[in-house]
Amino acid sequence: MKKDLAIKIEALFLQYNRFLYSIAYKILNEHQLAQDAVQMTFVKVIDNIKAIDEQNSSKTKAFMVIICRNIAINLYNKRKFNPSLMLDEIDNSIPDYSYNPDYQIISLESLAELKTKIKMLYQPYADIIALKYIFGYSEKEITKILDITEQNVRVRLHRAKTSLMKIINNGDEMK
Amino acid sequence: MIANNIDNLTKEKLAETIFSYAGACHIDNINEEIENNSINNIIISNHKEFDKILYKLAKTYRRRINYLNNTNKASRIAAVIIISIIILSTILISSVDAIRMKFFNLFMESKEEYSKITIKKSDLTEDGNIDILENSDDLNNWYIPSYVPNDFNVEKIIKQNKLIIIIFKDSENNSFVFEQNSDLNREYMLDTENALIEKISVQGQEAIIITKEKIITAIWDNDEIVFNVSGQVSREDILKFCENIYLKK
């Protein structure tokens, strides 16, 4: 069963490798590194094959993209091509709104527009929300998938939630 | 607007729902992005070479997965053999010529004094390779059932030189085993302590049914093959199963 799925994932991967390459290239701006990122994505997806139910589902494709993007960001950080754009620094540059559900007042209209609004969210933040709430990974599992520390996972997840709530509320400070 | 005076637990759940919805929206957006970006428009220098690299990588991984699968398969085979031996250890079957006498002798003895009897000769590997079959297509000239108790499906078919074992399992993990053995020199022993033993007729042949705790075993022969069915199923189902086996041509 898993063997069959692995073969199907392989086929899917070969089909979408250029798209994944383009994602990695946009971040890394270097051909060889982008190729490395795609290869590393393949290995990571196969290693996490237990989380994948179907070959051609939107979840599987999104999973590939999320993995690829985050691997590219990690590669970027490691090579320190432009330290000013390192993810950790980006993380730190976003104000912490101290998300607390006690204080939330959410407009249903805002919620309805979420599909459009979430595009405004910093993508690694949207990725981590998807990994946690759609793919159902624990924080510990996310550390392995994204190759970041558990502390970083917690911080990124917290900031992702905070930023998301801010976006839902049209950029207003939380009440 | 969502009320602000709801309890914290509800708010937490509401927040989780919003995050789940946001995650789903994000996945939708990624897929739209995939669809909207014409993959063919993305130019990779030496993309054919890159495809080759990925294909090679995929091949390496496929081999690794095959290796892991085979390792798991070997473990499963070992587990099945152990289970089969345990089940067989509750059964006495000797050569067809001697089966009734030997069986009944043991039965009498076991009623008087036996509490546990070990297998004398039941090494499943001694007569050659064991094959795990995917389905019953390769069971020509062997017996297969036309009735299987509700909810039970074939879990595994093990084929050896003179032996076929079909293992059935249901959704609650109850299992039973149907074994047919054309090796007339085999000798097994059983534990019949506190077991209920009855003589019945199966397909016109004399058979024995042994009920011990939740395990029911039926044993009979047709002068060429010794059959036994054993497992956690009802007596009625075992009887119906035994009556409905037929020779596959």
Side-chain angles (χ1 to χ4, degrees), chain A residues 3 6-7 10 13-19 21-22 31 35 38-39 42-43 46-47 58-59 61-62 65-66 69 99 101-102 104-108 111 114-115 118-119 123 126-127 129-130 133-135 161 164-165 168, chain B residues 1-4 8 11-12 14-16 18-35 37 39-40 42-51 53-55 57-59 61-62 64-66 69:
Chain A
K3 179 185 161 191
I7 291 168
E10 173 190 314
F13 211 84
L14 292 171
Q15 184 184 350
Y16 287 104
N17 70 65
R18 290 182 205 179
F19 180 70
Y21 171 89
S22 76
H31 166 70
Q35 287 196 350
V38 176
Q39 289 183 57
F42 176 83
V43 173
I46 293 286
D47 282 348
S58 55
K59 271 177 77 176
K61 290 179 201 167
V65 171
I66 289 170
R69 176 160 47 225
Y99 162 73
D102 276 354
Q104 298 309 301
I105 298 175
I106 299 162
S107 148
L108 288 178
L111 207 54
L114 188 55
K115 192 165 182 301
I118 200 169
K119 289 179 185 170
Q123 282 194 325
D127 290 346
I129 284 175
Y133 292 98
I134 299 297
F135 294 98
K161 290 176 184 177
L164 178 66
M165 296 312 266
I168 290 173
Chain B
M1 304 288 276
I2 294 165
N4 199 29
N8 286 344
K11 283 178 180 173
E12 287 285 356
L14 188 61
E16 289 219 344
I18 291 167
F19 298 139
S20 299
Y21 180 57
C25 289
H26 182 52
I27 284 173
D28 266 5
N29 289 338
I30 289 174
N31 276 275
E32 276 175 18
E33 198 186 344
I34 293 173
E35 294 306 316
N37 272 279
I39 291 164
N40 292 329
I42 297 163
I43 298 164
I44 307 176
S45 58
N46 299 325
H47 69 262
K48 279 185 184 168
E49 197 179 315
F50 185 45
D51 283 348
I53 292 170
L54 280 177
Y55 180 75
L57 184 69
K59 214 171 156 187
Y61 257 71
R62 202 192 300 172
R64 199 186 90 173
I65 287 166
N66 279 342
N69 276 356

Side-chain angles (χ1 to χ4, degrees), chain A residues 40-53:
Chain A
M40 288 163 77
T41 304
F42 176 83
V43 173
K44 191 76 98 179
V45 169
I46 293 286
D47 282 348
N48 286 281
I49 206 162
K50 67 184 171 79
I52 296 167
D53 299 325

Side-chain angles (χ1 to χ4, degrees), chain A residues 14-86:
Chain A
L14 292 171
Q15 184 184 350
Y16 287 104
N17 70 65
R18 290 182 205 179
F19 180 70
L20 294 176
Y21 171 89
S22 76
I23 289 172
Y25 188 81
K26 275 179 200 166
I27 296 165
L28 294 160
N29 203 27
E30 199 201 296
H31 166 70
Q32 192 56 50
L33 274 182
Q35 287 196 350
D36 288 351
V38 176
Q39 289 183 57
M40 288 163 77
T41 304
F42 176 83
V43 173
K44 191 76 98 179
V45 169
I46 293 286
D47 282 348
N48 286 281
I49 206 162
K50 67 184 171 79
I52 296 167
D53 299 325
E54 290 174 44
Q55 165 209 354
N56 222 1
S57 72
S58 55
K59 271 177 77 176
T60 303
K61 290 179 201 167
F63 187 66
M64 287 194 310
V65 171
I66 289 170
I67 298 286
C68 183
R69 176 160 47 225
N70 284 275
I71 283 176
I73 290 170
N74 285 349
L75 277 178
Y76 186 90
N77 286 345
K78 280 176 190 163
R79 298 296 172 110
K80 295 182 190 294
F81 280 128
N82 186 348
S84 65
L85 286 177
M86 283 178 69

